């Protein structure tokens, strides 16, 4: 079992550009959540996908969007990048339902210059 | 709105010492609480998951307790080792936003040889 895998591991983008981050959930998991972690802080919830639909959304602007594919993998898209979008982006997968353990990937380090 | 606080922000102890990390949350209506470990620049590794109906969970040298009524959880690490040096994060999953986890900012632990 490869666990949760994210790609790429590191990325450098210029202000105003667009970026796409990818996540493959742990085998058998059907729910994917995305988090943004600024340096020295805890992860902040961006949104969650289940059955190819956005089920919940945190306090992030519409520049942040996502998608889930039939194989449960997911993408996070960020448009019109700002310097403040520089962070570690984490993907978590779990089974549907509430009382389930979340497993995280290694993250994508995004730097906006 | 759920808020999670972890105190202290940083802790340095000599090898072999037993230690306790603290996590407090403002809304006691939770479904579960999960403790994670994060090495610098890396993703999150799940350590322990406590369901809302449970009081504690144990894994090896780790023991986590949960007191919903007081909004507190503790992570006890026995016989600490230099390899335990990392940031420890707690995350609370509430019942008003199923699927969303709220994180604290973590406690950075350094175990000195």
């Amino acid at each position: 079992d490869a666990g949760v895998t994210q790609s790429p591991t590191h990325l450098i983008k210029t202000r105003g550009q667009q970026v796409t981050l990818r996540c493959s959930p742990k085998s058998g998991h059907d729910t994917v959540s995305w988090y943004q972690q600024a340096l020295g802080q805890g992860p902040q919830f961006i949104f969650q996908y289940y059955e190819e639909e956005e089920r919940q959304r945190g306090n992030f602007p519409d520049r942040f969007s996502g998608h889930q594919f039939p194989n449960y993998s997911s993408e996070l898209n960020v448009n019109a990048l700002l310097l403040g979008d520089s962070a570690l982006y984490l993907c978590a997968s779990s089974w549907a339902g509430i009382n389930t353990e979340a497993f995280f990937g290694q993250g994508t380090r995004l730097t906006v210059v | 709105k759920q808020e999670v606080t972890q105190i202290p922000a940083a802790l340095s102890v000599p090898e072999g010492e037993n230690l306790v990390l603290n996590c407090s949350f403002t809304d006691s209506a939770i479904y579960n609480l999960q403790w994670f470990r994060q090495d610098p620049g890396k993703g999150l590794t799940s350590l322990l998951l406590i369901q809302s109906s449970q009081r504690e969970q144990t894994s090896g040298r780790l023991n986590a307790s949960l007191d919903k009524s007081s909004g507190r959880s503790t992570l006890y690490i026995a016989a600490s080792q230099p390899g335990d040096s990392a940031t420890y994060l707690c995350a609370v999953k509430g019942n008003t936003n199923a699927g969303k986890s709220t994180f604290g900012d973590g406690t950075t632990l350094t175990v000195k040889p």
Side-chain angles (χ1 to χ4, degrees):
Chain A
D1 184 3
V4 181
T5 59
Q6 293 186 241
S7 64
T9 55
H10 295 85
L11 203 53
I12 299 175
K13 289 286 189 178
T14 304
R15 273 183 304 174
Q17 285 189 315
Q18 179 264 346
V19 68
T20 297
L21 311 182
R22 295 177 176 82
C23 172
S24 293
K26 185 177 170 66
S27 178
H29 283 183
D30 55 9
T31 302
V32 173
S33 302
W34 287 92
Y35 291 82
Q36 180 195 66
Q37 186 178 26
L39 202 61
Q41 298 182 14
Q44 298 293 315
F45 177 77
I46 302 175
F47 42 54
Q48 182 183 85
Y49 278 85
Y50 170 67
E51 292 188 341
E52 301 180 51
E53 290 191 0
E54 184 182 287
R55 184 160 73 170
Q56 287 186 65
R57 188 178 184 90
N59 189 26
F60 279 79
D62 292 344
R63 298 186 297 109
F64 290 77
S65 63
H67 188 77
Q68 185 178 36
F69 299 94
N71 67 352
Y72 307 121
S73 67
S74 177
E75 289 182 348
L76 164 65
N77 300 293
V78 187
N79 295 321
L81 285 166
L82 304 174
L83 296 179
D85 294 331
S86 295
L88 181 68
Y89 288 84
L90 296 163
C91 169
S93 75
S94 61
W95 300 101
I98 297 172
N99 270 329
T100 60
E101 187 174 6
F103 292 86
F104 280 75
Q106 289 301 295
T108 294
R109 171 68 64 186
L110 173 65
T111 302
V112 182
V113 297
Chain B
K1 175 188 173 186
Q2 179 74 269
E3 294 182 0
V4 179
T5 303
Q6 292 187 247
I7 295 174
L11 182 64
S12 180
V13 300
E15 182 177 3
E17 191 162 300
N18 302 324
L19 58 101
V20 174
L21 306 181
N22 297 294
C23 171
S24 61
F25 45 94
T26 54
D27 186 352
S28 62
I30 68 169
Y31 268 68
N32 65 41
L33 184 145
Q34 197 167 354
W35 281 93
F36 294 90
R37 167 186 173 138
Q38 186 174 35
D39 293 297
K42 303 297 185 182
L44 277 60
T45 300
S46 179
L47 298 174
L48 289 165
L49 172 70
I50 309 177
Q51 309 290 1
S52 61
S53 59
Q54 297 175 320
R55 296 283 294 186
E56 66 178 321
Q57 281 284 355
T58 298
S59 176
R61 295 183 293 109
L62 305 179
N63 175 275
S65 68
L66 174 64
D67 183 344
K68 278 203 317 178
S69 61
S70 67
R72 294 181 182 178
S73 175
T74 62
L75 178 66
Y76 174 83
I77 302 177
S80 59
Q81 303 170 359
D84 294 330
S85 298
T87 296
Y88 291 81
L89 295 150
C90 70
V92 170
K93 183 172 285 187
N95 66 352
T96 55
N97 285 293
K100 169 186 174 180
S101 288
T102 302
F103 282 81
D105 287 337
T107 293
T108 298
L109 173 66
T110 302
V111 181
K112 298 174 290 185

